[in-house]
Amino acid sequence: MRRNIVHSGADALIYEIRQIVALAKQIEAMGITITWENIGDPIQKGESVPKWMKDIVSGLVAQNKSWAYTATQGDETTRKFLASKVNERGGAQITSEDILFFNGLGDAVAKIFGFMRREARILGPSPAYSTLSSAEAAHSGYEHLTYELNPDNDWMPDLQDIENKVKYNDSIAGILLINPDNPTGAVYPKEVMREIVKICEKYDIILICDETYAHVNYSEWGSIHLSEVIGDKVCGFALRSISKEFPWPGARCGWLEVFNRKNDPTFERYIKSLLDAKMLEVCSTTLPQLSIPLVYSHPEFLNHLKFRNEKFKKRAEKATALLSGIPGVKVIQPKGAFYLTVLFEDGALKPQMTLPISNTKVRDFVAPLMDKAALDRRFVLHLLASAGICVVPLSSFCCNRNGFRVTLLEEDETKFEWIYKTLAENIRKYLAS
């Protein structure tokens, strides 16, 4: 072509969580039964949506208004309801005008970075959630800027690392938190979040918090929302969704809760640009928006959240116990979300390590993929080809550490135990090879 139409950040658009599926599907076609542990879809892994929730959605489908456009910013009744829920926490106060709906948080993230000035960078965690890190890297045309999460401190953010990077890189316009975190399952206490707010205030930058798993939280201190700690000076917003907490991932329904937007004219103009961009699409999907006040207000909703959190806590404890005591491996028990990160200690993985692959077609297929693969990806490929378990390498989460992420979603207790016992067995074999 006479003009190059490829965006400079196109190569950064990598989502290994789904890309590994293509490899696994090819291996499956060669006769290997695959256990899918790559993506956080509770429904796919056997969770049943409660009948009362289905009844709410069924009732809405019967109403003509659920088939119509809604307001560009989102259904007004739902936005007022969500603003009131934020204000009940007693922290930063907002109105319905501070809520903006999107077709899932993937859509929101694309807009957040797509309409941000290219020179403005957002500092995010490492390990990073791929949707966020890839979008930030694609928007800037450079590698995503990260701060360290410390596995020796329950995957807490390294506050000194954050401040040093903000202080000495004036292109950084904001800090990103994921709380509870994906992929580590860490949950940040109020004190840690307040320290990050102080850094934002000191250097006049924004604070973004992905709260996708805010209600999938089984820590001792519970959910700490951004609104509770951001105060009245720092500009920022929280990313919220129903995908994981109803759960309704297929609804593609997420929203922003914007804080202190009037404090800075630049931030106010930026938020307006997100709304202007949304106007070009008319609106986000109506049906799931209409369900939110009805589901959140239902007498069974809090019991529903409590039941799920107890379930995931037990699974986190069991999975951690089954993987503990393996030399060369570190596992920090998750406190939120529904993932567990297995970390290989420095030097534990060697390029010559293998697992037996009995299927010759599969062995021939994966062999050339090993040549230039990161050490943890080599293990993941061996695990997939040998045991049929599909996990995601930690190096795919914008991280220079070796490990992998696995879910806590399997509903069949016998199979859940088989997954983690098989993982432990194969880790031991691989490290001993």
Side-chain angles (χ1 to χ4, degrees):
M1 296 180 70
R2 71 177 190 174
R3 285 280 184 180
N4 185 353
I5 64 171
V6 180
H7 189 280
S8 59
D11 289 339
L13 297 171
I14 298 169
Y15 193 63
E16 180 75 12
I17 295 166
R18 279 198 181 269
Q19 285 183 338
I20 200 166
V21 171
L23 284 177
K25 285 288 185 184
Q26 289 175 275
I27 290 172
E28 186 177 46
M30 297 174 194
I32 301 295
T33 300
I34 303 297
T35 299
W36 302 98
E37 288 295 320
N38 59 299
I39 197 162
D41 185 343
I43 308 302
Q44 185 189 67
K45 295 295 287 184
E47 183 171 350
S48 295
V49 178
K51 183 180 182 301
W52 61 264
M53 204 178 288
K54 289 180 178 178
D55 289 343
I56 287 172
V57 175
S58 298
L60 288 170
V61 170
Q63 298 179 30
N64 286 337
K65 68 177 181 178
S66 73
W67 296 71
Y69 287 135
T70 189
T72 296
Q73 236 176 297
D75 176 72
E76 186 175 1
T77 299
T78 300
R79 287 188 289 117
K80 285 180 177 178
F81 173 83
L82 289 172
S84 71
K85 300 303 284 184
V86 170
N87 295 339
E88 283 174 11
R89 300 173 198 149
Q93 301 292 288
I94 64 173
T95 72
S96 60
E97 295 304 303
D98 298 310
I99 305 281
L100 177 55
F101 270 89
F102 294 87
N103 289 313
L105 287 184
D107 175 33
V109 168
K111 298 288 194 308
I112 288 165
F113 291 110
F115 291 91
M116 186 178 288
R117 192 177 183 90
R118 185 174 172 182
E119 296 81 7
R121 305 299 308 277
I122 301 297
L123 182 69
S126 176
Y129 176 53
S130 310
T131 295
L132 292 159
S133 60
S134 293
E136 200 281 334
H139 125 83
S140 68
Y142 296 97
E143 287 187 8
H144 181 45
L145 294 174
T146 62
Y147 59 87
E148 289 294 312
L149 301 180
N150 185 359
D152 295 322
N153 185 28
D154 289 335
W155 290 114
M156 289 295 108
D158 185 327
L159 297 175
Q160 191 61 57
D161 187 39
I162 292 175
E163 178 151 18
N164 285 341
K165 283 173 176 167
V166 171
K167 181 178 181 179
Y168 295 110
N169 187 345
D170 63 6
S171 71
I172 293 175
I175 297 170
L176 169 71
L177 296 174
I178 306 174
N179 187 37
D181 184 60
N182 175 9
T184 68
V187 175
Y188 307 147
K190 191 172 284 188
E191 304 75 47
V192 168
M193 295 183 71
R194 281 181 171 152
E195 288 302 314
I196 295 172
V197 170
K198 287 179 185 176
I199 294 171
C200 291
E201 184 177 348
K202 181 177 178 180
Y203 295 98
D204 194 20
I205 59 176
I206 67 172
L207 182 54
I208 304 169
C209 189
D210 183 338
E211 296 183 354
T212 299
Y213 297 93
H215 294 152
V216 187
N217 186 327
Y218 33 95
S219 64
E220 308 90 89
W221 50 88
S223 298
I224 307 297
H225 299 83
L226 181 60
S227 68
E228 297 173 72
V229 296
I230 197 168
D232 58 5
K233 295 183 176 64
V234 173
C235 298
F237 48 87
L239 286 69
R240 297 296 306 276
S241 170
I242 64 174
S243 290
K244 313 299 183 178
E245 63 184 43
F246 271 29
W248 194 2
R252 308 316 305 133
C253 180
W255 66 94
L256 300 188
E257 297 170 353
V258 183
F259 307 112
N260 302 322
R261 64 189 296 176
K262 303 292 186 184
N263 285 6
D264 189 292
T266 300
F267 183 68
E268 168 71 1
R269 180 66 188 88
Y270 168 70
I271 295 298
K272 183 179 181 298
S273 74
L274 299 182
L275 176 57
D276 291 343
K278 199 68 203 175
M279 284 185 181
L280 300 177
E281 299 177 10
V282 184
C283 69
S284 296
T285 310
T286 302
L287 176 63
Q289 290 184 45
L290 297 181
S291 75
I292 291 171
L294 299 174
V295 171
Y296 278 17
S297 300
H298 194 279
E300 285 299 315
F301 185 61
L302 290 180
N303 288 333
H304 168 69
L305 295 181
K306 183 180 178 182
F307 170 78
R308 295 181 84 231
N309 284 335
E310 288 173 353
K311 174 177 72 175
F312 290 126
K313 182 178 182 179
K314 287 177 183 175
R315 289 182 190 166
E317 290 170 347
K318 187 169 190 176
T320 304
L322 288 170
L323 293 173
S324 65
I326 303 174
V329 169
K330 187 178 184 70
V331 179
I332 296 93
Q333 186 170 309
K335 291 183 170 63
F338 29 66
Y339 309 100
L340 180 144
T341 290
V342 176
L343 183 68
F344 291 106
E345 293 176 356
D346 290 346
L349 295 182
K350 308 292 183 187
Q352 72 273 13
M353 290 176 172
T354 61
L355 285 173
I357 303 171
S358 57
N359 186 311
T360 54
K361 283 185 181 179
V362 173
R363 187 167 63 243
D364 293 343
F365 172 70
V366 298
L369 303 177
M370 305 287 187
D371 292 343
K372 295 182 181 179
L375 290 175
D376 59 351
R377 185 174 171 80
R378 288 187 83 258
F379 169 76
V380 165
L381 289 170
H382 275 96
L383 179 71
L384 184 59
S386 180
I389 298 178
C390 183
V391 297
V392 188
L394 197 57
S395 57
S396 296
F397 289 93
C398 207
C399 183
N400 58 11
R401 301 179 190 273
N402 289 310
F404 62 90
R405 188 194 77 170
V406 58
T407 83
L408 299 169
L409 289 172
E410 179 56 57
E411 287 289 314
D412 184 306
E413 289 187 20
T414 302
K415 187 169 183 182
F416 181 87
E417 188 164 334
W418 173 85
I419 289 168
Y420 279 89
K421 283 184 175 178
T422 304
L423 285 172
E425 178 187 347
N426 280 276
I427 290 169
R428 290 180 188 275
K429 277 186 190 175
Y430 192 78
L431 294 181
S433 66

